[in-house]
Amino acid sequence: MPTVQACLFDLDGVIVDTAKYHYLAWRQLANRLGFDLSLEQNELLKGISRMESLDIILKIGGVELGEEEKLKLAAEKNVRYLELCKQITPDDALPGVRDFLDELRRDHIKVGLGSASKNAKTILTNLDMLSYFDTLVDGNRVTKGKPDPQVFLMGAEDLAVSPEYCIVFEDAVAGIQSAKAAGMIGVGIGEASVLTEADLVIKGFEGVTVSDLFEKLK
Ligand code: BG6
Ligand code: MG
């Protein structure tokens, strides 16, 4: 393994569990349109941008709408989502992730965010974790969603690190595909049976040290 110079983190599902709030807000919208959204269907939306998620949901419900109406619904969903996100506090960082980031900083390894979310800055602010990141690449900057490598390539460029010296931490299949397409090391957060294209899969950061992780990637 080449010497790691940067770590790029997805947000939702890696640093904080926001999937439950996305689900509540999308479900409310689906219910209003006359159908339901299961937790299983919600899985399809992980790592996927807001507008693409809405398209998937409308397809599930067999609802066809014009562009203007879709933009309105997506905006309404986001208002509800942000209302729910107000309850996020520093205690909501997923177990072990803060210690892991502290260790990266001590080791002078650069840290970036690579998220599809347009709300990334707000959520990191609620978690009081903005200061860990040397750069933020979020849904406001990218033009191509995961699995396109753009989000992570932009992060590496911001940090002036070549892709082969970057590790990406991702919970979504599309996110791991994005990391691999960028020529980076992809560490999956979740189940190995799901994240089959990852170089390594861990359940989460609890009890995981930077040196242990690098050792496992060798
Ligand atoms: C990703 C989430 O991180 O961000 C997706 O996994 C979400 O579920 C996407 O749709 C966009 O988020 P936002 O906050 O811009 O609506
Ligand atoms: Mg994610």
Side-chain angles (χ1 to χ4, degrees):
M1 183 185 75
T3 315
V4 176
Q5 294 176 16
C7 286
L8 300 170
F9 291 79
D10 173 45
L11 176 68
D12 298 319
V14 171
I15 291 174
V16 58
D17 176 20
T18 45
K20 56 188 178 199
Y21 301 137
H22 279 297
Y23 177 58
L24 283 173
W26 281 131
R27 191 175 185 206
Q28 215 168 57
L29 185 138
N31 288 170
R32 213 152 43 78
L33 294 172
F35 61 96
D36 204 8
L37 191 70
S38 70
L39 267 173
E40 217 169 52
Q41 288 163 334
N42 190 55
E43 282 299 306
L44 301 171
L45 311 176
K46 286 192 176 170
I48 306 296
S49 75
R50 194 181 307 164
M51 291 311 291
E52 280 177 285
S53 298
L54 178 60
D55 281 336
I56 294 172
I57 290 164
L58 293 177
K59 207 165 164 197
I60 290 170
V63 175
E64 275 186 43
L65 295 172
E67 212 43 45
E68 208 173 302
E69 186 65 14
K70 283 203 281 188
L71 285 170
K72 206 175 121 221
L73 288 182
E76 279 172 27
K77 178 266 174 180
N78 196 50
V79 168
R80 179 71 188 122
Y81 174 67
L82 282 175
E83 246 169 54
L84 292 162
C85 285
K86 277 190 190 149
Q87 59 198 295
I88 294 176
T89 71
D91 286 342
D92 290 305
L94 286 171
V97 70
R98 206 179 284 274
D99 288 340
F100 194 83
L101 286 164
D102 278 328
E103 207 185 329
L104 288 175
R105 298 232 65 108
R106 278 198 301 274
D107 291 350
H108 305 291
I109 293 170
K110 292 176 181 174
V111 175
L113 188 88
S115 168
S117 175
K118 292 187 172 176
N119 298 306
K121 209 166 179 180
T122 305
I123 291 164
L124 285 176
T125 304
N126 292 358
L127 290 166
D128 195 20
M129 290 178 86
L130 253 187
S131 60
Y132 282 111
F133 293 87
D134 300 304
T135 187
L136 300 183
V137 184
D138 64 11
N140 299 297
R141 289 183 64 192
V142 295
T143 53
K144 296 176 204 152
K146 300 169 188 177
D148 191 278
Q150 187 194 41
V151 60
F152 295 123
L153 288 175
M154 275 174 112
E157 201 181 317
D158 286 355
L159 300 172
V161 174
S162 293
E164 67 263 39
Y165 302 118
C166 296
I167 297 183
V168 168
F169 295 94
E170 255 295 348
D171 70 315
V173 172
I176 289 291
Q177 288 169 341
S178 166
K180 296 313 296 172
M184 300 178 181
I185 300 161
V187 175
I189 307 296
E191 297 298 328
S193 57
V194 178
L195 301 167
T196 52
E197 291 165 66
D199 294 291
L200 172 75
V201 179
I202 56 175
K203 292 236 181 289
F205 290 99
E206 197 163 24
V208 176
T209 65
V210 172
S211 45
D212 281 355
L213 186 105
F214 287 4
E215 197 55 41
K216 280 192 194 145
L217 283 167
K218 270 187 182 159

